Amino acid sequence: MTNKNSIFKLVMALAAACILIPVILMAVCAFTSRWQWPDLLGESFSLRGFEEVFINNVQSFRILISSVFISMAAALFATIIGYMSAQAFSMYDFPLKKWLHFGSMLPIIIPSSVFAMGIHVYFIKWGINDSITGILIGHVLYCLPYTVNILGDSREALGNKYEQQAMMLGCNSFMAFFHITLPLMIPSVISAFSMAYIISFSQYFITMLLGGGVVKTYAVFVFPLISAGDRTIAGAYTLVFLLSSLLIFILFEGVIKFIVKKIVSAET
Amino acid sequence: MKLKVENMKVVFSKKDVISDINFSVEKGEFVSVLGASGCGKSTFLKAIAGILHLEKGNIFVDGKRIDNVPAHKRNIVLVFQDIRLFPHMTVAENIGFALKIKKVPGEVRNAKVKSLLQQIKMDGLENRKINQLSGGQQQRVALARALAAEPEILMLDEPFSSLDENLRFDMRLLLLDIHKKYHMTTIMVTHNKDEALSMSDKIALMDEGRIIQSGSPEDIYENPVSYKVAEYFGDASFFEGTVGKGKFRSPEFMVECSLEEGEYMMMVRNDAVEPTEGDDFEFVQRIYTGKEKEYIYQHCVTGSKIRCRNNGKKTDSLPAKTSFRFKSEKLRYYKI
């Protein structure tokens, strides 16, 4: 048992290291003036990267804010539609259910370039290409497979037994959902939203194609700057990217838990 | 009459799970629905509660038809076999849930929850999480939660099935105390015949989706209407034979009776069997249950078994070989 625990801890430490080391390196890069090979450490401490992000390139902050809102909207729609789909797939039987479930996974099965170009043709026909609406729809479609899967597994595991009990105690379907199902599904909802948000926020090719360069998200704006080769600036932009996403996750989790606590807690 | 069920039929996957059930419960009665696993007892309760759709039939409460009323408006609470306490709520929140839905003011609700906690002997555990409770405690909380809803009819689906013997006994007493205090119309599903016999005003025995006999515990036990009912309650031996010229004849026995001719199954309760002179049966086994001793004998020729209670006699008084006689008023015959 001790051996198994030790191995488990070792594996977890390695996994954490794989995630944290690149982030730490990126953070160090962001705060150095230059860090060239074969130097072991950067030349000196510098805020050049952040000056570039927040002072020299003011529009980056504006694009960051608009990207956050676009991705939050995309994640919200994807989570709501994903939940409704997950509810249907796990709780009901209807014709072609398996095929429809498979169909909901298609955006991640087919190559993203094929997916993006396919819907781009229709967006041009409908006049919503090069617009926020088009990008939003594209992102929602791309995020749906993730939200449907995450929420579907949880919904099926939860079942409808608690809802049935709630009905016995006087709840209609709506009340049973808000008082019982939603609070119990919160961890999955947060996971689905977070996944959809990060997929939308980091989406490059689909946004490039559907936005036509007219509508820029943070990922589209930052990509050429990161690939320019200046690690200090790349590190600064990446850090802003990571921290803004983390802030959104914390905010969303806090808001949802606050709302659920209000619903569940007894009035005094 | 509090509850009346007429011609109920429930179908799953084109198969009749409940067929043509007629059932009634008086106000304040404690009724057990008894039967083997898979006979449709839980389905019957769920259909009354409104969770399952009726293919046919009507349900009336106090003379008003409710089968077309949504489940949450029927004021019938079903406590499920798997308890289903809400895992994200504390004990107090679970118990007070129905009151919160009814928008009962906080002070009144808290007072009611406190009173129910005292009744189920769980004072001081209001803020416990459900996963911190034992099986018995969870069962008590589920019962209190149902009572808080003040239902017109309380239904329980095998409420003691997951509990050990001692706990079952305590929970039975608690339920009976509560039933006596609130005089609430109660329907309990169980497959335990001792529970049904000891707790109920009335028992309905189900088999394959139908009620095959309904009546008081004494009536069902002493006068089972069919071989199936008699066999379910056990505690008896059965012998196949024919009736002719005023006598029941089987390879093991010949008994006088006044039945029309035909093939019959004779049932004799274990406590109606008395040893007598003879050597038709040989001793096989003694069963000691703590409360009493039972002796199993086997017919020397046919191998049919008969069970006999020692009725307070010492072990040594039952011989290795004996014959038996019966108290004729305790014999029952079923045409086959």
PDB file of all heavy atoms in Angstrom, chain A residues 144-159:
ATOM      1  N   LEU A 144     -19.671  22.667 -28.275  1.00  0.00           N
ATOM      2  CA  LEU A 144     -20.792  21.801 -27.883  1.00  0.00           C
ATOM      3  C   LEU A 144     -20.400  20.347 -27.580  1.00  0.00           C
ATOM      4  O   LEU A 144     -20.876  19.777 -26.607  1.00  0.00           O
ATOM      5  CB  LEU A 144     -21.889  21.829 -28.960  1.00  0.00           C
ATOM      6  CG  LEU A 144     -22.953  22.909 -28.778  1.00  0.00           C
ATOM      7  CD1 LEU A 144     -23.956  22.860 -29.932  1.00  0.00           C
ATOM      8  CD2 LEU A 144     -23.692  22.766 -27.463  1.00  0.00           C
ATOM      9  N   PRO A 145     -19.581  19.717 -28.405  1.00  0.00           N
ATOM     10  CA  PRO A 145     -19.240  18.316 -28.103  1.00  0.00           C
ATOM     11  C   PRO A 145     -18.671  18.150 -26.691  1.00  0.00           C
ATOM     12  O   PRO A 145     -18.946  17.157 -26.019  1.00  0.00           O
ATOM     13  CB  PRO A 145     -18.188  17.969 -29.156  1.00  0.00           C
ATOM     14  CG  PRO A 145     -18.444  18.902 -30.271  1.00  0.00           C
ATOM     15  CD  PRO A 145     -18.932  20.169 -29.647  1.00  0.00           C
ATOM     16  N   TYR A 146     -17.889  19.110 -26.242  1.00  0.00           N
ATOM     17  CA  TYR A 146     -17.281  19.014 -24.912  1.00  0.00           C
ATOM     18  C   TYR A 146     -18.336  19.163 -23.825  1.00  0.00           C
ATOM     19  O   TYR A 146     -18.381  18.399 -22.859  1.00  0.00           O
ATOM     20  CB  TYR A 146     -16.199  20.084 -24.743  1.00  0.00           C
ATOM     21  CG  TYR A 146     -15.072  19.949 -25.740  1.00  0.00           C
ATOM     22  CD1 TYR A 146     -15.095  20.641 -26.944  1.00  0.00           C
ATOM     23  CD2 TYR A 146     -13.993  19.108 -25.480  1.00  0.00           C
ATOM     24  CE1 TYR A 146     -14.078  20.510 -27.875  1.00  0.00           C
ATOM     25  CE2 TYR A 146     -12.966  18.973 -26.393  1.00  0.00           C
ATOM     26  CZ  TYR A 146     -13.017  19.687 -27.598  1.00  0.00           C
ATOM     27  OH  TYR A 146     -12.013  19.539 -28.508  1.00  0.00           O
ATOM     28  N   THR A 147     -19.192  20.175 -23.981  1.00  0.00           N
ATOM     29  CA  THR A 147     -20.202  20.416 -22.944  1.00  0.00           C
ATOM     30  C   THR A 147     -21.223  19.269 -22.912  1.00  0.00           C
ATOM     31  O   THR A 147     -21.631  18.835 -21.835  1.00  0.00           O
ATOM     32  CB  THR A 147     -20.921  21.765 -23.165  1.00  0.00           C
ATOM     33  OG1 THR A 147     -21.519  21.784 -24.462  1.00  0.00           O
ATOM     34  CG2 THR A 147     -19.963  22.918 -23.025  1.00  0.00           C
ATOM     35  N   VAL A 148     -21.618  18.777 -24.093  1.00  0.00           N
ATOM     36  CA  VAL A 148     -22.586  17.677 -24.131  1.00  0.00           C
ATOM     37  C   VAL A 148     -22.013  16.443 -23.438  1.00  0.00           C
ATOM     38  O   VAL A 148     -22.682  15.788 -22.640  1.00  0.00           O
ATOM     39  CB  VAL A 148     -22.991  17.338 -25.582  1.00  0.00           C
ATOM     40  CG1 VAL A 148     -23.801  16.045 -25.647  1.00  0.00           C
ATOM     41  CG2 VAL A 148     -23.805  18.475 -26.183  1.00  0.00           C
ATOM     42  N   ASN A 149     -20.750  16.153 -23.709  1.00  0.00           N
ATOM     43  CA  ASN A 149     -20.118  14.968 -23.120  1.00  0.00           C
ATOM     44  C   ASN A 149     -19.948  15.082 -21.613  1.00  0.00           C
ATOM     45  O   ASN A 149     -20.285  14.160 -20.862  1.00  0.00           O
ATOM     46  CB  ASN A 149     -18.741  14.760 -23.745  1.00  0.00           C
ATOM     47  CG  ASN A 149     -18.715  13.505 -24.572  1.00  0.00           C
ATOM     48  OD1 ASN A 149     -19.505  12.585 -24.359  1.00  0.00           O
ATOM     49  ND2 ASN A 149     -17.827  13.457 -25.533  1.00  0.00           N
ATOM     50  N   ILE A 150     -19.414  16.224 -21.176  1.00  0.00           N
ATOM     51  CA  ILE A 150     -19.152  16.409 -19.740  1.00  0.00           C
ATOM     52  C   ILE A 150     -20.471  16.361 -18.960  1.00  0.00           C
ATOM     53  O   ILE A 150     -20.609  15.678 -17.947  1.00  0.00           O
ATOM     54  CB  ILE A 150     -18.429  17.746 -19.483  1.00  0.00           C
ATOM     55  CG1 ILE A 150     -17.011  17.691 -20.054  1.00  0.00           C
ATOM     56  CG2 ILE A 150     -18.370  18.073 -17.990  1.00  0.00           C
ATOM     57  CD1 ILE A 150     -16.302  19.040 -20.064  1.00  0.00           C
ATOM     58  N   LEU A 151     -21.447  17.119 -19.460  1.00  0.00           N
ATOM     59  CA  LEU A 151     -22.726  17.192 -18.736  1.00  0.00           C
ATOM     60  C   LEU A 151     -23.527  15.905 -18.899  1.00  0.00           C
ATOM     61  O   LEU A 151     -24.273  15.521 -17.992  1.00  0.00           O
ATOM     62  CB  LEU A 151     -23.527  18.401 -19.242  1.00  0.00           C
ATOM     63  CG  LEU A 151     -22.885  19.742 -18.887  1.00  0.00           C
ATOM     64  CD1 LEU A 151     -23.508  20.870 -19.687  1.00  0.00           C
ATOM     65  CD2 LEU A 151     -23.029  20.024 -17.402  1.00  0.00           C
ATOM     66  N   GLY A 152     -23.386  15.250 -20.049  1.00  0.00           N
ATOM     67  CA  GLY A 152     -24.141  14.021 -20.289  1.00  0.00           C
ATOM     68  C   GLY A 152     -23.760  12.912 -19.326  1.00  0.00           C
ATOM     69  O   GLY A 152     -24.630  12.252 -18.740  1.00  0.00           O
ATOM     70  N   ASP A 153     -22.463  12.733 -19.122  1.00  0.00           N
ATOM     71  CA  ASP A 153     -22.008  11.686 -18.194  1.00  0.00           C
ATOM     72  C   ASP A 153     -22.512  11.958 -16.778  1.00  0.00           C
ATOM     73  O   ASP A 153     -22.985  11.053 -16.072  1.00  0.00           O
ATOM     74  CB  ASP A 153     -20.481  11.611 -18.186  1.00  0.00           C
ATOM     75  CG  ASP A 153     -19.946  10.992 -19.473  1.00  0.00           C
ATOM     76  OD1 ASP A 153     -20.735  10.345 -20.188  1.00  0.00           O
ATOM     77  OD2 ASP A 153     -18.744  11.177 -19.765  1.00  0.00           O
ATOM     78  N   SER A 154     -22.417  13.225 -16.373  1.00  0.00           N
ATOM     79  CA  SER A 154     -22.859  13.571 -15.012  1.00  0.00           C
ATOM     80  C   SER A 154     -24.360  13.433 -14.865  1.00  0.00           C
ATOM     81  O   SER A 154     -24.863  12.971 -13.837  1.00  0.00           O
ATOM     82  CB  SER A 154     -22.479  15.005 -14.679  1.00  0.00           C
ATOM     83  OG  SER A 154     -21.095  15.152 -14.742  1.00  0.00           O
ATOM     84  N   ARG A 155     -25.090  13.854 -15.887  1.00  0.00           N
ATOM     85  CA  ARG A 155     -26.558  13.801 -15.810  1.00  0.00           C
ATOM     86  C   ARG A 155     -27.035  12.366 -15.719  1.00  0.00           C
ATOM     87  O   ARG A 155     -27.964  12.046 -14.969  1.00  0.00           O
ATOM     88  CB  ARG A 155     -27.153  14.498 -17.050  1.00  0.00           C
ATOM     89  CG  ARG A 155     -28.630  14.794 -16.929  1.00  0.00           C
ATOM     90  CD  ARG A 155     -28.887  15.837 -15.860  1.00  0.00           C
ATOM     91  NE  ARG A 155     -30.314  15.930 -15.597  1.00  0.00           N
ATOM     92  CZ  ARG A 155     -30.958  15.205 -14.685  1.00  0.00           C
ATOM     93  NH1 ARG A 155     -30.308  14.296 -13.965  1.00  0.00           N
ATOM     94  NH2 ARG A 155     -32.246  15.358 -14.492  1.00  0.00           N
ATOM     95  N   GLU A 156     -26.358  11.515 -16.479  1.00  0.00           N
ATOM     96  CA  GLU A 156     -26.753  10.109 -16.459  1.00  0.00           C
ATOM     97  C   GLU A 156     -26.433   9.476 -15.112  1.00  0.00           C
ATOM     98  O   GLU A 156     -27.212   8.685 -14.585  1.00  0.00           O
ATOM     99  CB  GLU A 156     -26.007   9.347 -17.565  1.00  0.00           C
ATOM    100  CG  GLU A 156     -26.622   8.002 -17.858  1.00  0.00           C
ATOM    101  CD  GLU A 156     -26.178   7.446 -19.180  1.00  0.00           C
ATOM    102  OE1 GLU A 156     -25.765   8.220 -20.056  1.00  0.00           O
ATOM    103  OE2 GLU A 156     -26.258   6.221 -19.324  1.00  0.00           O
ATOM    104  N   ALA A 157     -25.292   9.850 -14.553  1.00  0.00           N
ATOM    105  CA  ALA A 157     -24.903   9.307 -13.248  1.00  0.00           C
ATOM    106  C   ALA A 157     -25.872   9.770 -12.159  1.00  0.00           C
ATOM    107  O   ALA A 157     -26.221   9.015 -11.254  1.00  0.00           O
ATOM    108  CB  ALA A 157     -23.480   9.735 -12.902  1.00  0.00           C
ATOM    109  N   LEU A 158     -26.318  11.002 -12.258  1.00  0.00           N
ATOM    110  CA  LEU A 158     -27.245  11.542 -11.243  1.00  0.00           C
ATOM    111  C   LEU A 158     -28.606  10.885 -11.351  1.00  0.00           C
ATOM    112  O   LEU A 158     -29.260  10.595 -10.344  1.00  0.00           O
ATOM    113  CB  LEU A 158     -27.352  13.056 -11.419  1.00  0.00           C
ATOM    114  CG  LEU A 158     -28.158  13.816 -10.377  1.00  0.00           C
ATOM    115  CD1 LEU A 158     -27.476  13.727  -9.019  1.00  0.00           C
ATOM    116  CD2 LEU A 158     -28.310  15.284 -10.771  1.00  0.00           C
ATOM    117  N   GLY A 159     -29.062  10.657 -12.584  1.00  0.00           N
ATOM    118  CA  GLY A 159     -30.380  10.055 -12.779  1.00  0.00           C
ATOM    119  C   GLY A 159     -31.496  11.013 -12.403  1.00  0.00           C
ATOM    120  O   GLY A 159     -31.273  12.211 -12.208  1.00  0.00           O
TER     121      GLY A 159
END
